[in-house]
Amino acid sequence: MTEDFIEHVLGGRTSEVEEAVRKAAAVEIMPRFRQLAAHDIVEKNGPHDLVTVADRAAEVHLTTSLTALLPGSVVVGEEAVHADPAVYEALRGDAPVWIVDPVDGTRQFVHGEPAFCTLVALARHGELLASWTFAPALDEFAVAVRGRGATLNGAPLHAGSPAPGAVLRVATSHPDYTTPDQKHALLGLTTEGVAPRPCGSAGLEYLAVARGALDATVFSWEYAWDHAAGLLLVTEAGGTHTTLAGEPYDITGGNALPFTAARDSATADRVRVLLRGR
């Protein structure tokens, strides 16, 4: 049924979704890049949790265009959920869901750095079907379709595996987004053979794993808009993901955190063992 749904709903429409994402970025995001005034930036839950006029306008733009492409679908967007947390429940409903992060890496966007992206994923009954990751300032566009692989600017993506004996490169959650228990778990990565560093844009960290430029990510929060697109991208590039309990990440929530996405299962298992402290 999933394959039939993908074929029926998407068919050749992946390019139409890509065009919608590109247009939202061109109209609402890039004209504001390095042009933000102070009143265009607002703190939501602290100095590291920002929203801009570009985030809000791009999400409205995408909500309109994506639901028009797929009548009967709904949108779970970061800014809509911030305004009304009940919107998140659509992930558990029957309607196809577009999961949208209009500007992933808002902090970088605000600082005029190019490492931000727009993330869109399509899911149904909690299952990821397709995803689009667009970094407009870097001119990089990655697409993944369940069971059909992943591409970056049209070229196939392959995560591969770390070289035997190589130091693992791991991007981890910012300490501001971790509980005391999660901070303790992350200390497990401070060991010989692992080189952890703070993550930037989650979507671009997933893309780095999918292209083999990063070995794993470790995140301590589970908002679907940050992870849905990237998790499918990594999976379709040959990688995998697992929670602290050894189960696949569930976009509807209830995951044992932190969780990891990695280039291969051996790396994911190694990271999980380190996080569990044995």
Side-chain angles (χ1 to χ4, degrees):
M1 287 296 291
T2 296
E3 284 298 314
D4 291 344
F5 183 79
I6 291 173
E7 184 61 36
H8 174 70
V9 170
L10 287 176
R13 291 184 183 176
T14 54
S15 61
E16 294 181 46
V17 179
E18 178 176 338
E19 180 58 30
V21 174
R22 287 185 181 275
K23 186 172 182 180
V27 172
E28 307 294 359
I29 299 173
M30 292 308 292
R32 296 178 168 103
F33 183 45
R34 297 174 177 161
Q35 301 297 322
L36 294 170
H39 64 265
D40 293 329
I41 307 164
V42 176
E43 288 186 12
K44 291 195 289 187
N45 298 307
H48 299 294
D49 188 12
L50 304 175
V51 64
T52 74
V53 63
D55 297 71
R56 290 171 170 158
E59 185 168 312
V60 170
H61 188 120
L62 285 166
T63 297
T64 300
S65 60
L66 294 174
T67 54
L69 281 174
L70 181 54
S73 63
V74 296
V75 172
V76 170
E78 179 175 6
E79 306 315 324
V81 172
H82 180 71
D84 179 6
V87 170
Y88 205 77
E89 293 302 312
L91 291 173
R92 301 179 177 87
D94 292 328
V97 182
W98 300 100
I99 304 168
V100 173
D101 191 341
V103 181
D104 180 67
T106 300
R107 181 172 57 83
Q108 288 80 4
F109 180 74
V110 166
H111 291 163
E113 300 167 8
F116 62 89
C117 59
T118 297
L119 302 174
V120 173
L122 178 63
R124 185 173 181 242
H125 296 151
E127 186 173 44
L128 291 169
L129 305 178
S131 77
W132 297 261
T133 299
F134 182 37
L138 301 174
D139 194 27
E140 294 186 331
F141 205 122
V143 179
V145 179
R146 185 181 181 87
R148 302 182 186 183
T151 60
L152 174 61
N153 291 347
L157 276 171
H158 300 290
S161 297
V167 173
L168 287 186
R169 301 158 298 174
V170 183
T172 70
S173 297
H174 190 286
D176 283 2
Y177 301 108
T178 56
T179 66
D181 284 347
Q182 291 166 358
K183 285 183 174 66
H184 180 74
L186 291 173
L187 287 175
L189 300 175
T190 308
T191 187
E192 186 176 355
V194 183
R197 63 162 174 78
C199 73
S201 154
L204 294 185
E205 301 293 13
Y206 282 117
L207 176 56
V209 174
R211 71 203 304 181
L214 181 69
D215 297 315
T217 61
V218 174
F219 293 113
S220 58
W221 73 94
E222 57 181 354
Y223 293 125
W225 50 77
D226 283 323
H227 306 302
L231 286 170
L232 187 64
L233 190 66
V234 167
T235 300
E236 289 299 320
T240 190
H241 51 90
T242 181
T243 68
L244 202 61
E247 300 171 344
Y249 172 92
D250 184 345
I251 64 168
T252 66
N255 297 286
L257 303 173
F259 73 96
T260 182
R263 294 174 66 187
D264 61 12
S265 57
T267 302
D269 289 343
R270 181 181 175 190
V271 170
R272 185 172 69 88
V273 167
L274 290 172
L275 293 172
R276 289 179 63 88
R278 63 177 185 274

